[in-house]
Amino acid sequence: MTEPTTVGVGERVTFRKLFDRHPLVEIPIIQRDYAQGRPSAVEIRTEFLKAIHSALEKPSDDPSLPLDLDFVYGSVESGERQAFCPLDGQQRLTTLFLLHWYLAWKDAECDDLAAFLETQGGARLLYAVRPSSDEFFDALVRWRPDLRPEAVTSLAEIVRDQPWFFRSWTLDPTIQSALTMLEAIHRQFGVATGFYRRLVQADPPYITFQLLDLRSFGLSDDLYIKMNARGKPLTPFETFKARLEQQLDALFPGETVELHGRLVSKREYFSTRIDTVWADLFWHYRDQTTQLFDNAIMNLLRVLAIITRNPDSAGVGGVLEMLRDRCEPFAFGTYHEAGCLDNALIDTFMCLLDCWSGHHGGIRTHLPDATFYDEEHFFRLAIDDAQPIYSEMVRLWAYVAYIRHHRHDLKPEQFSEWMRVICNLAVNTPYDGLDEFQRSIRSINALLPESDRVVTYLASTTADAQGFYRQQVREERLKAQLMARSDSWRNAIIEAERHGYFQGQIEFLFKFAGVFDAWVATEACDWDDTQDAVFLRSFREYLDRAASVFAATGLRAFGEQRWERCLLAAGDYLLSKGRNYSFLDDGSRDTSWKRLLRGGIKDQYIETRRGYVKQVLDQIDPKVGVAESLDVILTNAKPAVGWRKLFVDRPELIEFCWNRMVRWESENRVYLLRKIRMSGEHAELFTYHLYLGLLAEKHRKGELTPFGSPKYATVTTDSEEPYASLAYNSSEGRIALHIENDGCGYELTLFAPGAVADAVRGAGTIEGITFKSLATDMICLKVARNKIENAIDETVRRLKASAGPASP
């Protein structure tokens, strides 16, 4: 074998030239697995491929060429094989190997690739780290794909589907990383053409590295092993931090800040604090498994990047969607290109960490209490990996913006008042997408100059906050004027706002107490002190009653659907959702108790329904007890509408509806839904009530004999009708009675043997109702609702006379 040419110290070579010089390149067993394809290395992988792609796009005479990939250290194996063993650089070499293979396939240059990378049916790049890795690279270099790259969606899947790919290889970390890297190469170079020739070009070269033979320095492998064993791959955050530090001088040119009694650059300040005081802060929130807090910092940076975006900047919508949806991990290159790593983000990040640091056991808080904004809770949300909620981000930005604006003079009381108002606005503003979120951010920015006097500002007639729900803004203005009127009003309002379920939405209390109607015409609290005392007393009474009905988590449990039935006794309070109507719940946005309490001054539909709540609250005496008061209401209830009367009569009807939804088609046709669609199990109101009530009672009294116990047949399609049924086996055969709702009354269908059917039919009419024959063994009877009991009794009587007793 020819002796390889001696390589000079740090000589610049191409990947192909390395193999011209050495018959084999072997990754030694002391090396770790190939890592550039790991999920955690997405930034390294992406930036590396982007740099190579950018270089290969350039003309060969571009002065920035070649792209130099730094040093590759190694030594040449003694003995016959003379393999070059890279001791540092194996990650880059493996990636270059995969890139050469891909571009050769794409540019139909597989034969040329084989000429310098294949030997005796295997690859000239060997992996001593793991035998399966070595076998994979051998198989890959021999493979000639029979399809074009442009037809491939997932290159990794194509490789895994090959007959030469062993299933056990999926457990090999190097092979897993190689497949991930091939996917990344396919995405980056999928539309490129002619890049293979540029990649292997030697004069002038496009991509090079500096080859260094450690023998030139007299270093032993033992010493290298000791050096290498101490090394750890950089975490994504460490990579991010290092690159960010390089940008800080450009972000804050000439700016200085005091550190340990001297003025230093923002870059030096950041570098020192991130490894000391700020690190101590995050150590409290570290991952107990890995003992790392990198993800916490990265997640916080992502949330801060979202809330610090200028809502009026061009293209901000796409950037916000990327950030919120986590299309990509927080990688420096991706976020730098999107313009996120700007002065606003980094200044906010540094300001917050300074404000939060210095307290043992978590962040240092600045609000007097956590009633309206829990700093610790929101910090944990920000460092979590979950998708942030718009309302939470709006509140976080109000908090962050105040700290930035008043960083040198934080006043806890004013800060608390600011957060109380903004939290009331944000929690009670519906957010359907980025537009509403951006409007709220814009509004906070406009309000920020008034943040130390926000209540005084809102009490003025010119105050506004256009980025929030108009009704809640109006409520905050009313509150501000009442608070300005007296401390008694302030205390009452704060008490109401502290209620965990109302969460600052208390206009209904002002409405029920008469305050709102007195204020809304002129938007001024200009009544006299006597009237004010009446209003305040009424407000407190309604607060006490509402708090006795609603707990912090929602409606209190009074049993037997008492509250719902009392509301139905007052009127139809149900709210629509799609084609359904809801009995309401504690959490959903459009069909919750909070939505009903919010009402709508310009929406008579919802306002009328809110009025039913007042009617019921007016009849509740907290001293007697809510459940007892509700029972009195139910005892005296006489709803005029039939369908409401049925619900008031039987709580089981509401309990049937697991998702608290009904499909209301008319006064006479209402379906009880187990879920939310008619394709799910459902019953029909009038027949289910008949089954639970009249039929069950008659069975209990023995008045349905020879029929057995009543049954009810639910259905799962809107092409069939649910029905109640009675049945028994007589000496003549099986006899069944089905009872359906026909929209106006009931339709009774009797299924009986011919002789029995003839006997029943032959008995004639009952009070003007005729048994009509549909078939030899079927009889149909239309019955008005008020005659159903008589019809059932007569049917039972005729069957007793004609069919005899039930068979055992």
Side-chain angles (χ1 to χ4, degrees), residues 118-123 138-139 141-142:
E118 188 176 353
T119 178
Q120 298 179 356
D138 284 347
V141 80
R142 289 194 301 265

Side-chain angles (χ1 to χ4, degrees), residues 424-677:
N424 286 345
L425 292 170
V427 169
N428 297 299
T429 292
Y431 291 99
D432 292 318
L434 283 173
D435 288 344
E436 292 87 353
F437 167 73
Q438 290 174 265
R439 282 197 291 269
S440 290
I441 297 296
R442 193 178 293 114
S443 191
I444 289 173
N445 294 341
L447 285 171
L448 198 57
E450 311 293 341
S451 54
D452 260 357
R453 54 181 293 275
V454 65
V455 174
T456 302
Y457 172 74
L458 287 173
S460 71
T461 56
T462 58
D464 202 359
Q466 296 182 1
F468 295 99
Y469 189 56
R470 307 302 303 152
Q471 184 173 334
Q472 191 64 35
V473 173
R474 181 183 61 198
E475 179 183 324
E476 295 308 314
R477 296 186 63 242
L478 170 57
K479 291 176 188 173
Q481 291 186 23
L482 289 170
M483 287 179 169
R485 184 175 179 113
S486 72
D487 286 341
S488 296
W489 269 115
R490 167 179 286 276
N491 295 335
I493 289 170
I494 295 297
E495 181 184 352
E497 288 185 340
R498 287 179 186 273
H499 192 284
Y501 188 64
F502 303 151
Q503 291 187 299
Q505 179 197 287
I506 58 172
E507 184 194 87
F508 73 98
L509 297 176
F510 296 123
K511 176 70 174 176
F512 295 171
V515 179
F516 181 84
D517 289 341
W519 174 83
V520 71
T522 60
E523 296 192 357
C525 302
D526 51 6
W527 48 79
D528 60 31
D529 291 344
T530 301
Q531 183 62 62
D532 191 66
V534 173
F535 282 153
L536 181 56
R537 183 172 59 253
S538 182
F539 177 88
R540 287 189 179 278
E541 289 175 353
Y542 277 109
L543 173 57
D544 289 344
R545 292 175 181 179
S548 69
V549 172
F550 294 98
T553 55
L555 184 67
R556 296 183 187 276
F558 300 112
E560 297 182 346
Q561 312 292 325
R562 283 182 169 88
W563 172 253
E564 294 89 334
R565 291 159 63 209
C566 285
L567 286 178
L568 284 170
D572 174 11
Y573 80 91
L574 306 187
L575 299 183
S576 63
K577 185 172 185 179
R579 296 182 61 190
N580 299 333
Y581 289 81
S582 175
F583 293 108
L584 308 189
D585 55 37
D586 295 324
S588 60
R589 191 182 81 176
D590 299 325
T591 55
S592 67
W593 297 113
K594 273 200 71 175
R595 176 65 189 95
L596 179 64
L597 294 175
R598 189 176 80 205
I601 303 304
K602 295 183 179 180
D603 185 345
Q604 195 55 45
Y605 174 87
I606 186 69
E607 192 61 23
T608 298
R609 282 155 173 75
R610 180 164 73 167
Y612 301 142
V613 176
K614 181 180 185 301
Q615 289 182 37
V616 177
L617 289 180
D618 285 341
Q619 300 176 70
I620 288 177
D621 184 350
K623 295 179 181 178
V624 172
V626 178
E628 292 78 6
S629 298
L630 295 176
D631 282 340
V632 172
I633 297 173
L634 292 171
T635 300
N636 299 320
K638 294 182 176 59
V641 178
W643 69 269
R644 286 196 290 115
K645 183 178 184 304
L646 301 188
F647 282 117
V648 172
D649 182 48
R650 292 211 162 266
E652 302 97 321
L653 298 173
I654 301 176
E655 291 164 358
F656 178 92
C657 307
W658 292 342
N659 283 302
R660 300 179 66 78
M661 294 283 185
V662 296
R663 182 69 58 88
W664 193 92
E665 295 189 355
S666 71
E667 298 283 350
N668 295 314
R669 196 173 288 280
V670 181
Y671 294 100
L672 313 176
L673 307 181
R674 284 288 196 204
K675 297 182 179 179
I676 61 173
R677 294 184 177 86

Side-chain angles (χ1 to χ4, degrees), residues 276-295:
T276 55
V277 179
W278 297 345
D280 288 343
L281 165 67
F282 282 102
W283 179 252
H284 181 73
Y285 303 95
R286 68 190 183 278
D287 185 311
Q288 294 299 321
T289 301
T290 65
Q291 296 297 304
L292 295 174
F293 48 76
D294 296 25
N295 288 340

Side-chain angles (χ1 to χ4, degrees), residues 133-364:
S133 303
D134 197 43
E135 293 166 1
F136 169 77
F137 286 106
D138 284 347
L140 186 67
V141 80
R142 289 194 301 265
W143 183 39
R144 301 290 190 274
D146 57 0
L147 71 169
R148 299 302 305 145
E150 53 270 18
V152 173
T153 302
S154 172
L155 181 53
E157 286 299 320
I158 295 295
V159 173
R160 279 191 287 262
D161 285 344
Q162 297 308 306
W164 48 263
F165 190 94
F166 294 97
R167 186 180 303 174
S168 60
W169 284 359
T170 58
L171 303 176
D172 184 322
T174 289
I175 298 175
Q176 291 175 359
S177 288
L179 293 176
T180 302
M181 179 59 79
L182 286 173
E183 285 284 288
I185 291 172
H186 185 51
R187 287 193 300 271
Q188 183 67 51
F189 292 87
V191 297
T193 55
F195 276 13
Y196 176 78
R197 280 294 160 190
R198 295 186 175 193
L199 187 61
V200 299
Q201 182 174 306
D203 189 22
Y206 272 78
I207 310 293
T208 62
F209 50 85
Q210 296 177 60
L211 187 62
L212 189 62
D213 187 344
L214 289 177
R215 289 179 305 179
S216 303
F217 296 94
L219 298 178
S220 68
D221 287 352
D222 288 344
L223 177 61
Y224 169 77
I225 293 171
K226 292 176 182 178
M227 294 167 56
N228 193 54
R230 297 179 60 192
K232 289 184 178 180
L234 291 177
T235 67
F237 172 67
E238 289 169 334
T239 303
F240 174 88
K241 180 179 68 173
R243 299 194 62 184
L244 177 61
E245 287 175 358
Q246 298 171 7
Q247 303 293 318
L248 291 181
D249 287 337
L251 285 175
F252 303 98
E255 289 191 39
T256 59
V257 63
E258 185 177 333
L259 178 66
H260 304 316
R262 63 188 182 92
L263 293 179
V264 299
S265 68
K266 280 286 189 77
R267 176 177 179 173
E268 182 178 345
Y269 186 83
F270 179 93
S271 300
T272 302
R273 301 282 281 184
I274 195 68
D275 289 329
T276 55
V277 179
W278 297 345
D280 288 343
L281 165 67
F282 282 102
W283 179 252
H284 181 73
Y285 303 95
R286 68 190 183 278
D287 185 311
Q288 294 299 321
T289 301
T290 65
Q291 296 297 304
L292 295 174
F293 48 76
D294 296 25
N295 288 340
I297 299 181
M298 300 295 274
N299 290 332
L300 176 63
L301 277 166
R302 179 171 70 100
V303 173
L304 293 181
I306 294 174
I307 63 178
T308 55
R309 295 309 90 209
N310 181 353
D312 297 315
S313 61
V316 68
V319 174
L320 288 174
E321 286 182 359
M322 177 197 72
L323 291 168
R324 184 170 181 268
D325 296 340
R326 295 213 62 156
C327 299
E328 299 184 44
F330 200 108
F332 182 90
T334 303
Y335 284 61
H336 182 66
E337 290 177 7
C340 298
L341 303 178
D342 55 10
N343 185 292
L345 170 61
I346 305 307
D347 181 65
T348 300
F349 181 65
M350 296 171 69
C351 175
L352 282 177
L353 294 191
D354 277 342
C355 284
W356 284 333
S357 298
H359 176 70
H360 297 293
I363 66 167
R364 179 158 55 99

